[in-house]
Amino acid sequence: MGLRLPDAMRLSWANIAEYKGRSVVVVATVAILFGLVMGVNFLLRGLEVTLLDASVAKTGGKVYVETSFRKSRYGSNEARLNERLEKYHGEKVGALKTYWLDGETIGVIEVEPGNDFPTEEEYVEWGTEKQEMNAAHLFVSGSTPELKKTSILNLVLGGVYGNAIEEGDLVIDDGSGEIEEYIKTRVEEIQQKKVANVDEMLAMDVAEEAEGGQEFTEEDIVYFYEEAENWEPEVSEESIAVFENYWDLKDYVLTRDTPEAKNLEPQAFGVGNLFSNTVDIINEVEMMRTVLKFFEVVLLVVAVIVATLTFAHLIDNDAATVALYRSMGASTGDIYAIYFLYLVELCLLAVAVSIGIGLILAGIVTMLDVGDLAVRLQEYYGLAVAPRVRLVGIDRRFWEVAGMIMLVAPLVLALTSRRFGAKHIAKKLKED
């Protein structure tokens, strides 16, 4: 027969016109299922950009984080950190040392010479009990930016919390030696307190000894005093890095490229918020995308089942036409091409309709929530003006969903291919 592509397309489109009812069933089923996913993806991308923009509004778009590698078998911690920072365009600008001072925690930022750092005027709710120290903690109260009314956006907003640094005061070391002196004084106070506790404990021991209690040995007493007099605070240290934009940080935070991820091992790499909650936003949105992937696979299975059953009925009803194609010299490949193009056309229509459904859903949520979200984010981040809110966005997930819809065509054709066989066609003609 030597079927040409234009002829195959004309014949496949004729099937759509002839079997309008069943074609509509396939298109509507696939479009409705995936239209919901399209809508959620549009909203999620738009909300992600909106939240990230708001979170870095006070630092001119830059993102500061605390980050480190813990000891592992994959190389030097410092070398791995430097390599990852270079790969994702981050720059190390200092270190964060955290001191645990017997119930009080202080995070001290040591800025490397020559590096800029956020100034006090860029933040709200500044201040610390140590009045003369340069506090640098962006305060967002640990709450979430959830809308007060019921909204689908709260599925994401409810998982985004305030600044993750909750250890206590976070201060910048200005090089004056004031912070070192304060920590030294606090250590001495705690040592004296511990010595006094030992005195009190021994006094109680003497009283108990008089009543026949157990007496501490000389070695015990020496040990207790040495422990109290030589007490030192626990100190941890992490690097501070800055990223010029949050997209570089997003690539840095996601750890799919680490050897631990490839070998399904616990991560030795960590990133924490500093002056913002940008890292938490990235992680929350990625978690939602992971949940969506699961639903997309389920929807794909449902769509394939519905399309396969409908398409199988169509082929059975089209047995006479298939036989006519064969009698005119059409090869099995030609027949496959006609019906594959028919399925592709159905899937393309489903993609178009699902995009429309998705945009309608995203548009409805935008009209209902955009104003409230702008006010809430301005309040949450303490911004001078309300941030720009856009709740419709497109990223690679859009193309992945469209690709999953198009995947229905080859899967359905593969599942129904035996119905094009000569024996099956002859059987159907006999039955008819």
Side-chain angles (χ1 to χ4, degrees), residues 30 92 105 142 146 291 352 382 390 399 401:
V30 177
K92 192 185 298 183
T105 305
E146 267 186 305
V291 173
R390 48 193 171 204
W399 303 107
V401 174

Side-chain angles (χ1 to χ4, degrees), residues 63-336:
V63 195
Y64 294 84
V65 296
E66 52 174 301
T67 182
S68 64
F69 272 92
R70 66 176 181 269
K71 186 176 181 181
S72 72
R73 62 190 178 91
Y74 293 106
S76 162
N77 298 355
E78 192 69 17
R80 293 188 72 190
L81 181 63
N82 292 336
E83 180 183 356
R84 191 167 185 83
L85 285 171
E86 182 179 0
K87 180 177 180 180
Y88 296 110
H89 312 111
E91 179 185 2
K92 192 185 298 183
V93 293
L96 173 62
K97 289 185 178 179
T98 304
Y99 295 82
W100 281 270
L101 298 170
D102 196 28
E104 176 189 14
T105 305
I106 299 179
V108 179
I109 294 175
E110 298 178 351
V111 185
E112 294 182 356
N115 286 308
D116 295 327
F117 220 72
T119 60
E120 179 175 337
E121 289 73 21
E122 293 172 337
Y123 296 93
V124 292
E125 298 293 340
W126 286 74
T128 171
E129 293 177 0
K130 291 160 279 301
Q131 295 295 331
E132 297 181 1
M133 288 189 182
N134 182 17
H137 190 150
L138 174 60
F139 177 76
V140 285
S141 77
S143 63
T144 74
E146 267 186 305
L147 298 179
K148 294 178 181 179
K149 62 181 183 179
T150 302
S151 170
I152 188 176
L153 301 180
N154 286 341
L155 293 174
V156 177
L157 297 175
V160 176
Y161 291 88
N163 194 297
I165 298 176
E166 298 174 351
E167 297 92 348
D169 290 301
L170 182 63
V171 296
I172 296 178
D173 189 345
D174 57 6
S176 66
E178 181 181 351
I179 294 175
E180 290 86 344
E181 185 62 30
Y182 174 82
I183 292 174
K184 179 181 177 182
T185 301
R186 285 289 292 123
V187 169
E188 290 174 352
E189 291 173 353
I190 293 169
Q191 288 172 343
Q192 292 170 6
K193 179 181 176 182
K194 289 184 175 295
V195 168
N197 289 340
V198 174
D199 290 339
E200 183 179 349
M201 179 183 67
L202 293 178
M204 292 176 60
D205 179 61
V206 171
E208 291 177 359
E209 179 188 353
E211 298 177 2
Q214 183 178 358
E215 179 183 3
F216 285 121
T217 65
E218 190 67 28
E219 289 84 359
D220 291 336
I221 296 173
V222 170
Y223 172 77
F224 292 149
Y225 277 112
E226 284 182 348
E227 283 288 298
E229 293 167 354
N230 297 322
W231 178 88
E232 293 290 338
E234 182 182 348
V235 182
S236 66
E237 181 174 347
E238 295 198 36
S239 295
I240 296 175
V242 62
F243 292 81
E244 292 297 323
N245 63 77
Y246 47 69
W247 297 125
D248 285 335
L249 174 65
K250 181 176 179 178
D251 292 335
Y252 180 80
V253 169
L254 303 181
T255 54
R256 303 184 185 101
D257 60 340
T258 63
E260 287 89 347
K262 294 174 182 177
N263 295 321
L264 302 178
E265 297 175 5
Q267 285 292 338
F269 169 68
V271 188
N273 292 306
L274 196 65
F275 308 126
S276 73
N277 59 350
T278 311
V279 174
D280 288 341
I281 294 170
I282 290 171
N283 288 330
E284 180 66 16
V285 171
E286 283 305 304
M287 186 189 75
M288 289 300 298
R289 287 201 172 102
T290 300
V291 173
L292 276 178
K293 284 182 181 178
F294 169 77
F295 283 106
E296 286 166 8
V297 173
V298 173
L299 294 178
L300 177 63
V301 172
V302 174
V304 168
I305 291 173
V306 172
T308 299
L309 295 175
T310 305
F311 189 58
H313 284 294
L314 183 149
I315 297 172
D316 289 343
N317 291 339
D318 227 14
T321 304
V322 174
L324 178 61
Y325 290 156
R326 287 191 177 277
S327 68
M328 295 177 65
S331 65
T332 301
D334 291 333
I335 296 173
Y336 282 166

